[in-house]
């Protein structure tokens, strides 16, 4: 469910892509969540500017692996939307809207 939410953000709307490129988007979504949860979403991460910035940089770095079909403007939009989703959905290191359900 978590991966699907990020995948949906990345895919709606999206440029024309091959099935292999769509698989790459799935992989990027999975890898991003794994990295964020393992390394970046620490206790009180939303309260400190440095940790919020670290999460945003991680999102940008990981989404840089998206297929080149994403234009610069679309890439920037997706970075902001994914970051906002993470900010809204992951309150603390072990707490998210997905664990609350």
């Amino acid at each position: 469910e978590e991966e699907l939410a990020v995948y949906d953000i990345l895919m709606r709307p999206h440029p024309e892509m091959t099935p292999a490129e769509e698989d790459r988007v799935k992989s990027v979504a999975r890898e991003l969540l794994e990295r964020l949860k393992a390394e970046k979403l620490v206790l009180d991460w939303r309260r400190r500017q440095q940790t919020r910035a670290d999460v945003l940089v991680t999102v940008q770095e990981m989404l840089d692996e998206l297929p080149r079909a994403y234009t610069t403007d679309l890439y920037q939009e997706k970075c902001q939307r994914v970051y906002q989703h993470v900010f809204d959905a992951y309150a603390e290191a072990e707490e998210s809207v997905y664990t609350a359900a």
Side-chain angles (χ1 to χ4, degrees):
E1 190 175 340
E2 294 174 84
E3 278 181 39
L4 184 58
V6 173
Y7 178 75
D8 285 346
I9 291 169
L10 296 174
M11 293 298 288
R12 294 186 182 138
H14 68 88
E16 290 295 319
M17 289 188 279
T18 66
E21 289 173 324
E22 289 179 15
D23 287 343
R24 182 64 191 141
V25 173
K26 288 178 193 175
S27 177
V28 167
R30 179 174 33 291
E31 292 168 13
L32 172 63
L33 286 174
E34 288 172 359
R35 183 167 173 198
L36 288 175
K37 289 165 58 175
E39 302 172 13
K40 307 299 178 180
L41 301 180
V42 296
L43 182 65
D44 294 335
W45 76 271
R46 296 190 308 179
R47 293 187 183 147
R48 296 188 324 215
Q49 174 61 32
Q50 184 176 355
T51 54
R52 288 192 314 264
D54 194 25
V55 169
L56 177 59
V57 167
T58 301
V59 168
Q60 292 169 334
E61 288 174 352
M62 295 299 294
L63 295 192
D64 196 42
E65 299 298 319
L66 289 171
R68 295 296 154 218
Y70 285 83
T71 64
T72 301
D73 290 339
L74 188 55
Y75 160 80
Q76 290 173 346
E77 174 193 334
K78 298 301 183 180
C79 287
Q80 288 301 316
R81 290 186 61 208
V82 168
Y83 173 78
Q84 190 61 52
H85 169 73
V86 170
F87 188 88
D88 293 342
Y90 296 89
E92 299 295 337
E94 299 295 324
E95 182 182 329
S96 75
V97 297
Y98 303 103
T99 57

